[in-house]
Amino acid sequence: MSGDSDCTRTSPSAGSLSDNEFLPDQPKYVCSLSPDLITKAREELQEKPEWRLRDVQALRDMVCKDYPSLGTCLDDAFLLRFLRARKFDYDRALQLLVNYHTCRRSWPEVFNNLKPSAIKPVLESGFVTVLPCLDPEGRHIVCIRPDRWTPSNYPITENIRAIYLTLEKLIQSEETQVNGIVILADYKGVSLSKASHFGPFVAKKVIGILQDGFPIRIKAVNIINEPRIFKGIFAIIKPFLKEKIANRFFLHGCDLNSLHQNIPPVILPEEYGGTSGKLDISAWNELLLASEEDFLHDFSQLVLPCDSSPQDMLTPYSMIALLKTFTTTVMNS
């Protein structure tokens, strides 16, 4: 099947009201996956190109029916992230979308004024970056270095904001939606006083987002140079981890050979025994900071209520649900 036919929107069923009667034109989804990734998505994620947009429409209808006040973007490309993250299980994808918004609304210290320029000091510190090369499975490597954070400069929530924006940027890519990501966390030099900032409250919040509140597939978490106190940190984290995720944690200590069994040296910087040169954070920082307008546009479609009532949160998609209900009532009366 051709790429064009893969991405053709299915028609509404006979006798139903078309969403387009009420909405301005939506961005048309164009599949950017290679033939190999289309095959991979079919085999691993149960994604059938010929049914893709039918599935998106089904999820959209569920949101309009069950959560008309969710205040979410419902573009095809946006909803596909959630379907892929839950292997096209409608109910699980819907719950993930609801959790995504719940997480954003329940932690204002992280999600208010969330944009790249607001976390520039974190980016410049090198706390989080993305390595320039993909691994053999086509996955980005997110590198986190807690030793680069000075707690007196800004609170730990700023680091979480930087990680979140990094993930938001990565998940814009359909390749990442299918392949997932790998995390490399370097705990060299992390002291007990610094680790104490990552208490149970923060741990539960972060794990909740990564496991159940964000549409990304974390395929492996590689921990390097972890000090003895990391056992205490991991003891805090582990109760909140699902077994599948817990089994994807790999503790390497100072053993670079162990790390290289999971991440080949050819894509690692010299700091981790690799051959790709010195770790350079500038390219990722520039890319993320250059995406400011994209984030402002994307996040503007996500309503973050403070004192708003559900009626204040209605989106054009919510109005569709109300108009359909009204029309059906009139026609049946």
Side-chain angles (χ1 to χ4, degrees):
M1 186 172 291
S2 68
D4 291 340
S5 59
D6 285 352
C7 301
T8 301
R9 178 183 289 278
T10 55
S11 300
S13 58
S16 67
L17 288 173
S18 169
D19 294 351
N20 294 328
E21 294 180 30
F22 305 112
L23 280 178
D25 291 340
Q26 302 174 52
K28 184 179 180 181
Y29 171 75
V30 178
C31 182
S32 63
L33 296 175
S34 67
D36 286 345
L37 282 179
I38 289 175
T39 300
K40 182 176 182 178
R42 182 188 291 271
E43 293 174 350
E44 295 187 9
L45 307 182
Q46 320 306 318
E47 177 175 346
K48 296 177 175 60
E50 62 273 21
W51 292 355
R52 184 188 289 126
L53 292 182
R54 180 210 67 174
D55 294 335
V56 168
Q57 187 60 46
L59 179 56
R60 182 182 293 117
D61 289 343
M62 291 172 71
V63 175
C64 290
K65 177 177 181 291
D66 298 335
Y67 296 93
S69 299
L70 187 60
T72 186
C73 171
L74 288 177
D75 292 345
D76 294 343
F78 183 77
L79 289 183
L80 264 176
R81 303 175 186 180
F82 296 86
L83 285 165
R84 286 170 172 153
R86 291 298 180 262
K87 299 185 177 181
F88 280 75
D89 181 314
Y90 295 169
D91 291 328
R92 293 176 66 227
L94 176 62
Q95 188 60 57
L96 178 62
L97 178 62
V98 172
N99 291 349
Y100 174 85
H101 286 281
T102 300
C103 289
R104 292 177 62 88
R105 292 165 183 166
S106 66
W107 207 358
E109 297 91 343
V110 169
F111 293 104
N112 284 352
N113 191 36
L114 186 61
K115 56 186 178 181
S117 61
I119 48 93
K120 190 174 180 180
V122 184
L123 297 177
E124 292 176 342
S125 76
F127 175 86
V128 61
T129 192
V130 177
L131 302 187
C133 299
L134 303 175
D135 77 356
E137 300 297 322
R139 303 175 299 204
H140 283 286
I141 310 294
V142 179
C143 182
I144 300 172
R145 298 183 292 170
D147 69 305
R148 298 288 172 148
W149 171 48
T150 302
S152 60
N153 289 347
Y154 44 79
I156 192 171
T157 48
E158 292 300 295
N159 296 327
I160 297 167
R161 285 156 60 82
I163 293 173
Y164 192 91
L165 280 178
T166 293
L167 297 182
E168 283 279 8
K169 182 60 181 177
L170 290 175
I171 205 60
Q172 291 175 359
S173 162
E174 290 198 280
E175 289 77 8
T176 298
Q177 294 169 27
V178 173
N179 290 328
I181 64 167
V182 171
I183 294 175
L184 171 60
D186 180 2
Y187 277 83
K188 181 179 180 180
V190 175
S191 64
L192 180 60
S193 61
K194 184 175 291 188
S196 66
H197 291 267
F198 195 71
F201 173 81
V202 174
K204 186 176 181 180
K205 285 279 193 179
V206 171
I207 297 301
I209 291 171
L210 296 180
Q211 281 192 148
D212 300 311
F214 195 85
I216 200 162
R217 306 173 71 209
I218 300 176
K219 305 302 290 183
V221 180
N222 293 276
I223 310 295
I224 192 77
N225 296 321
E226 70 273 18
R228 292 180 180 178
I229 61 170
F230 185 80
K231 290 184 178 180
I233 299 174
F234 195 65
I236 295 174
I237 296 173
K238 196 168 184 179
F240 306 120
L241 294 175
K242 296 178 180 177
E243 182 178 2
K244 180 175 71 172
I245 298 296
N247 291 336
R248 293 177 180 175
F249 273 71
F250 301 93
L251 308 183
H252 302 288
C254 298
D255 188 351
L256 292 179
N257 289 328
S258 175
L259 174 65
H260 296 165
Q261 291 177 17
N262 287 29
I263 305 177
V266 68
I267 67 171
L268 285 170
E270 295 176 6
E271 289 85 344
Y272 303 114
T275 59
S276 67
K278 294 286 187 181
L279 179 59
D280 179 15
I281 66 173
S282 61
W284 178 254
N285 288 356
E286 291 172 7
L287 178 64
L288 198 58
L289 290 168
S291 303
E292 181 99 358
E293 292 301 320
D294 293 338
F295 279 116
L296 291 176
H297 174 266
D298 292 346
F299 290 165
S300 70
Q301 301 182 67
L302 307 178
V303 179
L304 289 175
C306 294
D307 300 323
S308 303
S309 65
Q311 289 76 16
D312 297 329
M313 295 163 53
L314 292 177
T315 67
Y317 295 98
S318 307
M319 292 303 296
I320 290 175
L322 294 177
L323 286 168
K324 284 183 176 180
T325 301
F326 174 77
T327 304
T328 302
T329 301
V330 171
M331 293 175 66
N332 292 337
S333 62

